[in-house]
Amino acid sequence: MIASKRTMQMKRILFFILINCYVISIKAQTVNLKGKITGDKEPLPFASIYIKGTTKGVNSNDEGRYTLPLSAGNYTIVFQYVGFTKKEIEINITENKLLDVELKSDAVSLKEVVVNAGEDPAYPIIRKAIKKRKFYNNQIEEYSCQSYIKGLQRIYNLPEKLKKLFKITTGEKFDTTQLGVIYLSESESNYYYKKPNKKKEIMYSSRVSGNNKAFSFNQLGQINFNFNENLISMRGISDRPFVSPLNGNAFLYYKYILLGTLNESGTIIHKIKVKAKRQTDPCFNGIIYIQEGAWRLTGLDLMLTKNQKINFVDTLVIKQLHAPVKNDSIWMPVNHNFSFTFGFIGIRGSGYYNAIVKNYDLNPNFKENFFSNETLVIQDSANKKDSSYWTKNRPIPITYEEAKDYRKKDSTEKVESTDRYKDSVDNKRNKFKTADLFMGYSFNRTKKNISIRIPGIITSGMQYNTVEGVNLSYDFSFQKSYENNKSHSVSGRVRYGVSNYLWGGALGYEYYFKPKKFSRIGIQLKSIAEQYNNQSPISPLINSIYSLYLNENYMKLFKETSASINYFTEITNGLYFSGNTKYAERSALNNTSDRLIFDDKNKLFTSNDPRNDQNFDSLFTTNNAYTIDATILIRFKQKYVSAPNQKIITGSKYPRLSLNYKKALPILNTIADYDLASAMIYDEVNLGLFGRLGYRLKGGTFLNTKKLFFMDFRYFLGNQTIFNTNDYLSSYRLLPYYKFSADKWFAEAHAEHHFNGFILNKLPLLKKLNVQEVAGIHYLTSNTLKNYYEINFGLENIFRILRVDYVMGYGLSNKIQHGFTIGINTGL
């Protein structure tokens, strides 16, 4: 009897244990809430779906479909989309459930606004929001979060002319199935922030459609714009920053219209239309949402167009959705969406980047040395995740278009990665075609990562100068690369002067052996005609034009036969070393040709002597020199991205410093003997709406000049033509090429300010031309020229590529020179 009672008790205990295990298993079981979100009977792409009171959630895909994984239980699910009324639905879920949701346009739910005479009711709301923006900027000292980012670009139109060009250049017919998705990527990362401006991001998963070795460079740090800041910078999209609708001086740039108010679960939200007062100002147009009482930004839907001088895209739509992460006191962005359209020479396309941000931690307790100059780390294993990982972890269901692209490109990649396929493609493309004779020939062995490039008739160099007459220059290259980014490369050049029968050539080899340190070592052998100024101040093409048509032979040459070894590496972050040692024989060359197309009877060609243009005799005796050249380059607090086998420099807010020492040693049957020490400091300063200021300061002195030849002098980048092909921030537009070269000491100062349309965008007629203004000042003093000044005023971005300057100079013979120059728009 006693035994039976004990047995009964054991059974009851076992029964309750089983019941509890069952309940626990039910609660622990992951089920999916699926459905489609629509608004006005249309799918709502990238709508936010999350558990109320948390940032745990997902987004709908491009078709409005969503999948939210949950543990069994009771939840309040929030469905939200910018421009539509938020909906909260209570659910009890124990198994997979289908829930389609229709959101109402917030225009339907808006409380009617009464506008009396005077200013719009939006203005006092905006004033309060502007007053509170500093509070919200300083509200959080530090935080961490997780992000998922998907990027997609597609092309839906390609003009027939480009299709024909594709066939001519490749010998293959363009496959129209290549239209559609051209880029698709997904990534997940952890993001960390600490005031005032410390940031770090670690990407732990990445997928690129059709390339399982690639990494997506989707960064939350590049798209989580803070509209509580005065200015929003989008480098690459625009040279100038954009004015936030909550800028401290926003009323100078924007008009505001209160469209209505929304009541979302007892919270009053004001919907306000923002409109730029001048359409060419760097301002947004669209909608912002401000919370009553707290006066915080809760969402936005803003647009930029070509009127705002954006690059590469025609339209850019920016959407943000904010949600509370700590009761109602702290709100943070939980969704960023950037969608765009683009068009160029008949190519039309569109794309988007969508980011979901979740799991905010407002008390991460970072270790002391957690933040450094490393802003992004892409883990080695990031691209090793398989498709099952993404099926389980992506918070946005992939669309039919995206799934098709993954299947097609991944299967194609498997085929294209085989040696048989690579050989087949190479055999076809390596066949010599008629077009190769003119445009150049390429030979590839893809499976071995080998490429050879040989120029064609059009791409090879053919110029004219008075030393060689017509001269032919033929360049070629060979490269062998590896998956770890190391590489071997060989480059060469063959040159022949028709008039002086002078053959010349150069052959170089470089080994790039430590990619994360940019380390490389190379050797070069050459015997060829070179400009006295090794910076090549005048291009061969421009010299040919001026010589043949205008009787001006500015280029001066000598023959150098040399052997050199060079080395470059990064010692530690931001500290670089560059070294070069060279043994050279320098020989004089004389004019041998006087060909002309147009003969100006009042002009004669000058001699090849840079110092005396009337000296037609031997310029100098052949001499040998052995030089050692060392440079230290410092980029203070250099920011960078770490990727597998790669380091990417992203810049520094501090100036860069370069220190150089060059010594000629009179050894090994050489006679040159001198020491030159020089330094340079340079930087680009972003001045916000006022543009960018670039400056460069240089100086140096010869510590020893026991034996100094003219090719060893310190040269300056001068110009005597209407064309400027030199770096704008290192050159002079009206200075003779060689006359004032220094042999004792020198100092240079260059500064240019790019206004980025700050002035012209306010002028009704000129603002439509999309040109930008630029001004600069340049100074030079040396032992051969005291106090030379140049001032230039110009227009850049003409037809997107050209720049025209008016230049005035003073200091040559105490006279004012002036002139115009035309060049390529290169910025700083």
Side-chain angles (χ1 to χ4, degrees), residues 233-242 282 308-311:
S233 294
M234 298 183 188
R235 292 302 298 269
I237 295 295
S238 176
D239 294 329
R240 56 183 184 169
F242 296 96
Q308 284 78 50
K309 308 294 189 296
I310 55 178
N311 302 321

Side-chain angles (χ1 to χ4, degrees), residues 497-537:
V498 174
S499 179
N500 65 351
Y501 310 107
L502 180 66
W503 281 97
L507 183 66
Y509 164 77
E510 183 177 87
Y511 176 37
Y512 190 61
F513 61 92
K514 194 178 290 185
K516 282 204 167 186
K517 290 290 187 179
F518 310 102
S519 301
R520 54 186 181 268
I521 187 169
I523 60 174
Q524 185 181 56
L525 304 173
K526 68 177 179 180
S527 180
I528 204 167
E530 297 278 19
Q531 293 191 48
Y532 279 87
N533 184 347
N534 60 11
Q535 300 175 83
S536 300

